[in-house]
């Protein structure tokens, strides 16, 4: 009997180990971006007011506590990590003082920061967030640590199999199209979008030079349809100008990334058409189980978008039926659905290949 127990113990141990190894599809994910992917970096910026570490954020997260995610629960970065069999990424700024950070870096880390933009200062002039340029600087430190830990050859093998997710651009565009923007006096919308795309191109090349070979580029959504933009119209309709230039930005990014992969033959990518997916949800809400496509779940005022999600704000009970959690950000369910499509969706919304296909390369 003891022999049989011993046998079954090792049999199930072997099964569990095998399942664990097969479930982990990539060695690491490195996340760059804004509040759509921030897992708590802004919590560690002392002077920043751009935080979500208070109720009612996190009401559906494990333990029901706010973590710094701009969501009622998990965000897209969390769901992507889970999809590929990894633990949820740690925020980089939470690791600076720990002694064993090298082992954490090997499985990836998040640099994403609420309020971050492609351009330094434009989306956040008071330094309350980590710009994409600064995020890449932080990653260069992580890169050096990994090379020192593994050696240059093994480090490149490790990084070439890892995913590098970039979720950026929304804050730059929202800053340009907000009602009191001063940016319009400096450039036309076309000039501004061209500057964003050109700057992002250089930033992606910097990440490539630091070992990235598999990019997951998340396009901006239909930002004119977020509650904060809708309340600028008396009708509550989407801001079509903001949507138009969001679309133009995405087209520019796709062209740039295609050019990079033509120039640098050893890089591959997935581009997620967030814009198209969000509009599909808005136009066909019942198909996706949504009943509220205009108003934020958490906030105050018209469309719950006059006041952000604060402890004094009210919040909805039917959160799974809302696209928007607050006046800018999606609900946990919407984020989960985004990642389902990103991971193994068709070329209608993920091209030239989805993340599952990207991993297999």
């Amino acid at each position: 009997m003891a022999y049989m127990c011993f046998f079954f113990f090792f049999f199930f141990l072997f099964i569990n180990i095998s399942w664990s190894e097969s479930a982990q599809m990539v060695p690491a994910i490195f996340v760059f971006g804004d509040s759509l992917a921030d897992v708590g970096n802004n919590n560690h910026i002392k002077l920043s007011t751009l935080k979500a570490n208070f109720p009612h954020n996190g009401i559906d997260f494990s333990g029901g506590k706010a973590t710094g995610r701009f969501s009622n629960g998990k965000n897209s970065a969390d769901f992507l990590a889970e999809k590929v069999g990894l633990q949820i990424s740690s925020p980089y700024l939470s690791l600076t003082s720990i002694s064993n950070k090298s082992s954490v870096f090997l499985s990836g880390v998040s640099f994403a920061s609420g309020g971050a933009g492609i351009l330094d200062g434009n989306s956040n002039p008071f330094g309350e967030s980590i710009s994409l340029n600064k995020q890449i600087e932080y990653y260069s430190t992580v890169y050096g640590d990994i090379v020192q830990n593994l050696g240059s050859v093994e480090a490149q093998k490790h990084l070439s199999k890892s995913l590098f997710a970039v979720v950026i651009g929304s804050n730059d565009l929202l800053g340009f199209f907000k009602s009191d923007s001063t940016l319009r006096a400096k450039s036309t919308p076309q000039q501004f979008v061209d500057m964003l795309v050109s700057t992002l191109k250089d930033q992606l090349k910097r990440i490539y030079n630091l070992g990235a070979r598999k990019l997951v580029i998340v396009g901006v959504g239909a930002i004119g349809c977020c509650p904060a933009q809708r309340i600028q119209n008396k009708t509550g309709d989407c801001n079509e100008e903001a949507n138009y230039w969001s679309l133009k930005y995405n087209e520019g990014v796709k062209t740039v990334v295609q050019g990079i992969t033509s120039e640098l033959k050893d890089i591959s990518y997935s581009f997620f058409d967030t814009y198209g997916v969000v509009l599909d949800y808005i136009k066909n809400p019942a198909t996706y189980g949504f009943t509220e496509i205009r108003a934020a779940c958490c906030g105050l005022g018209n469309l719950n978008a006059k006041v952000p999600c604060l402890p004094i704000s009210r919040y909805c009970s039917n959160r799974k039926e809302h696209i928007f959690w607050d006046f800018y950000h999606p609900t946990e369910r919407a984020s989960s659905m985004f990642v389902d499509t990103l991971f193994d969706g068709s070329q209608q919304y993920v091209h030239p290949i989805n993340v599952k296909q990207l991993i297999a390369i």
Side-chain angles (χ1 to χ4, degrees):
M1 181 62 111
Y3 172 81
M4 290 299 291
C5 290
F6 186 80
F7 170 81
F8 280 114
F9 170 79
F10 276 97
F11 174 78
F12 285 113
L13 179 63
F14 173 79
I15 291 295
N16 285 335
I17 292 173
S18 299
W19 180 87
S20 176
E21 290 177 345
S22 64
Q24 184 175 320
M25 300 179 183
V26 295
I29 296 180
F30 299 92
V31 181
F32 304 82
D34 53 33
S35 55
L36 296 171
D38 189 350
V39 293
N41 273 307
N42 280 19
N43 292 352
H44 303 275
I45 304 175
K46 290 183 179 180
L47 299 180
S48 179
T49 61
L50 300 175
K51 296 181 180 180
N53 57 347
F54 50 80
H56 303 289
N57 297 297
I59 190 171
D60 296 312
F61 200 82
S62 177
K65 294 182 179 180
T67 61
R69 290 165 173 81
F70 295 77
S71 171
N72 58 302
K74 297 174 184 175
N75 64 24
S76 297
D78 299 319
F79 287 116
L80 181 58
E82 290 180 352
K83 275 285 186 184
V84 300
L86 291 172
Q87 295 291 321
I88 290 173
S89 297
S90 299
Y92 173 77
L93 292 184
S94 72
L95 304 173
T96 54
S97 62
I98 68 171
S99 57
N100 64 337
K101 54 180 175 285
S102 294
S103 60
V104 180
F105 288 165
L106 287 174
S107 62
V109 64
S110 173
F111 307 96
S113 170
I118 294 169
L119 303 178
D120 294 340
N122 272 348
S123 58
N124 187 288
F126 303 110
E128 295 183 283
S129 60
I130 314 166
S131 70
L132 183 55
N133 279 327
K134 189 64 177 179
Q135 291 179 37
I136 297 171
E137 282 184 36
Y138 285 150
Y139 169 62
S140 69
T141 301
V142 171
Y143 172 80
D145 190 283
I146 292 174
V147 169
Q148 186 175 15
N149 195 359
L150 299 180
S152 58
V153 174
E154 288 303 314
Q156 187 53 51
K157 287 181 181 179
H158 182 85
L159 295 172
S160 68
K161 296 175 183 177
S162 301
L163 296 180
F164 290 76
V166 181
V167 187
I168 202 78
S170 296
N171 288 318
D172 299 277
L173 290 167
L174 285 167
F176 189 89
F177 288 106
K178 66 182 181 181
S179 57
D180 60 346
S181 174
T182 60
L183 296 173
R184 289 180 181 241
K186 301 176 183 178
S187 62
T188 66
Q190 185 66 66
Q191 290 170 333
F192 186 73
V193 166
D194 288 345
M195 180 167 53
L196 289 183
V197 171
S198 175
T199 305
L200 182 62
K201 177 181 179 180
D202 293 338
Q203 291 164 333
L204 293 177
K205 283 189 172 183
R206 286 171 61 195
I207 297 172
Y208 168 85
N209 289 333
L210 294 167
R213 294 298 180 268
K214 295 184 178 184
L215 297 177
V216 180
I217 310 296
V218 177
V220 302
I223 65 170
C225 293
C226 69
Q229 286 283 309
R230 283 183 181 271
I231 63 171
Q232 294 184 24
N233 294 330
K234 292 181 180 179
T235 60
D237 291 335
C238 299
N239 181 334
E240 293 303 333
E241 183 186 21
N243 277 356
Y244 175 81
W245 290 107
S246 298
L247 188 59
K248 289 299 179 184
Y249 166 80
N250 285 340
E251 290 174 354
V253 172
K254 284 188 282 187
T255 300
V256 157
V257 179
Q258 287 168 359
I260 290 175
T261 54
S262 297
E263 177 186 346
L264 308 170
K265 302 298 184 181
D266 58 343
I267 193 168
S268 304
Y269 74 97
S270 295
F271 178 88
F272 181 55
D273 181 13
T274 319
Y275 182 98
V277 172
V278 170
L279 280 190
D280 195 9
Y281 293 171
I282 290 171
K283 292 177 180 178
N284 306 289
T287 303
Y288 299 98
F290 294 116
T291 60
E292 178 54 71
I293 61 172
R294 298 166 76 246
C297 173
C298 183
L300 288 171
N302 184 25
L303 300 182
N304 272 353
K306 284 287 187 180
V307 175
C309 185
L310 299 170
I312 62 168
S313 301
R314 60 172 179 261
Y315 62 92
C316 64
S317 59
N318 59 333
R319 293 181 286 280
K320 291 185 177 180
E321 297 175 15
H322 280 243
I323 293 178
F324 293 98
W325 163 241
D326 61 18
F327 56 5
Y328 287 128
H329 305 97
T331 56
E332 179 183 59
R333 179 168 178 264
S335 294
S336 175
M337 292 169 64
F338 291 156
V339 172
D340 285 345
T341 304
L342 170 64
F343 185 72
D344 60 5
S346 69
Q347 286 191 344
Q348 179 182 7
Y349 294 129
V350 198
H351 44 83
I353 54 177
N354 58 40
V355 169
K356 187 175 182 180
Q357 294 165 329
L358 180 67
I359 291 170
I361 293 175

